[in-house]
Structure formats: structure tokens, C-alpha cells
Amino acid sequence: LAAAVERGHDATLLSMARATDTDVIVAEPAYAKDHGLQTLADLAKLGSRATLAGPPEFKTRFNGLIGLREEYGVTKLRFLPTPIGQQYQALASGRAQLAVGFTTDGNLTRGGLTTLSDPKNIFGFQNVTFIVRNDSLQREGSAFTQTIDAVSARLSTEALRLMNAAVSLDGQSPATVARQFLGANGLL
């Protein structure tokens, strides 16, 4: 389906990386331990005693509060709409006890957060792949496609998380981080 959509935009999906990105709910470890939180199903026992910080659209998506309600019976969790990136501040300040993150989020490299599993896969997964305009593919030739596919073959969720941390938390430039990744993977 995605390939057909991109063809309609005069673009091509190249090879998928093994990396995926998906939503994830996290909590401070002490809170998770005190409340027996290991999976999303455990959220139902919190009732209205907990607040979940997440992007505003999480409230109206099936792979959000609707799925939590329909698949896991989570009906009383309070929701704090929070811009992406600020959900961890809501946790640290105590305004929320839970937060929506992404599996490639650099903040997850630092440890210190408990990730709740999603055994019913309401969050699904999003494959990571490069999308390239067809005129660029024609201009650059097959070596370009082979190079991009070689990068995709080495991208993992953990590698993306580490690179995101290097940029967003450590202040490194994206170009420097990319160069380091390429060098470490024999792609320079």
C-alpha cells in the first residue's frame, strides 16, 4: 500500500530497514514497581490515579487511548496533551506518571525508564525506509540505490535510538552522527 501511495507521488520506496519505530508507554521505575506495571493491560488497575502525558492526537487514535480502552480495558486514565519532547518533563515534574514515547527516542538510551510491553500490538510498528523521488533515482543511477539500501540494511531500532540521543541529548550535529554511523558500519 505504501509503495502504491508513493508511486502516486512520483517516488519509490527503497528496501526496508530492520529498524521499526512505534509508540511506547514508559514510567519511572519506582512507579512501575510500586503499581505492578509491566504491560499495557496493567494500566487498567490504576483507574483515575494516574496521568498519561502524550501528543494530543494520542487521545483520538486507535493506536492510542481508544485502543487502550477497547483492547486493554483502560477507561479511567487521565490524559495530559503534551507536545512531543515535553512528555519526559511531565514525568520528571510529577504532572504525569506515564508518558508516550517512541522506540527510536534518544531519551530511552539513558535508562531510568520502564517500558510497558504491548502484547496485543495496538501500537503496531512502522517500518523505516527511504523514500526517493523517481527523478532523483534516474539521475543518480543504480549505485545510489545500492548505497541507500546498504545503509538501510544496517539500521536497527537501537542504532536509530543511539543516533537520536547523540543529536538531541548530546548536541552533536546530525552530519557528524551520520558520518560516525557510516564509518562504524564500513560504509564510508
Side-chain angles (χ1 to χ4, degrees):
L1 179 62
V5 169
E6 293 308 325
R7 277 193 300 276
H9 291 99
D10 203 27
T12 299
L13 287 174
L14 299 184
S15 296
M16 279 189 262
R18 60 179 191 208
T20 61
D21 189 25
T22 188
D23 291 342
V24 65
I25 293 182
V26 298
E28 296 286 348
Y31 184 84
K33 184 178 178 188
D34 290 347
H35 293 87
L37 302 179
Q38 295 179 351
T39 76
L40 296 182
D42 297 328
L43 296 175
K45 60 187 169 191
L46 294 176
S48 61
R49 295 179 296 157
T51 299
L52 171 67
E57 64 273 12
F58 193 81
K59 185 175 183 177
T60 58
R61 295 187 329 215
F62 179 82
N63 58 332
L65 288 181
I66 293 170
L68 286 173
R69 181 183 69 239
E70 292 181 13
E71 296 296 322
Y72 291 109
V74 178
T75 59
K76 297 182 180 176
L77 196 63
R78 290 176 288 169
F79 183 68
L80 175 64
T82 310
I84 293 173
Q86 294 181 18
Q87 69 271 36
Y88 301 107
Q89 294 166 348
L91 272 181
S93 71
R95 292 184 305 130
Q97 293 71 46
L98 306 157
V100 178
F102 307 102
T103 55
T104 58
D105 190 332
N107 286 288
L108 299 182
T109 64
R110 300 298 192 241
L113 292 174
T114 297
T115 302
L116 305 184
S117 68
D118 176 13
K120 295 186 179 184
N121 294 310
I122 64 167
F123 294 150
F125 60 92
Q126 297 173 13
N127 293 100
V128 175
T129 186
F130 287 89
I131 301 170
V132 183
R133 290 184 9 203
N134 290 334
D135 60 340
S136 295
L137 287 175
Q138 291 172 354
R139 183 176 59 251
E140 299 299 329
S142 63
F144 175 78
T145 301
Q146 291 169 355
T147 300
I148 299 299
D149 286 347
V151 171
S152 288
R154 287 167 180 83
L155 282 178
S156 66
T157 303
E158 181 65 20
L160 287 171
R161 188 181 304 140
L162 290 169
M163 287 188 280
N164 285 336
V167 172
S168 64
L169 302 176
D170 299 338
Q172 295 182 43
S173 75
T176 298
V177 172
R179 197 173 304 108
Q180 290 169 347
F181 173 81
L182 294 173
N185 286 280
L187 296 170
L188 282 180

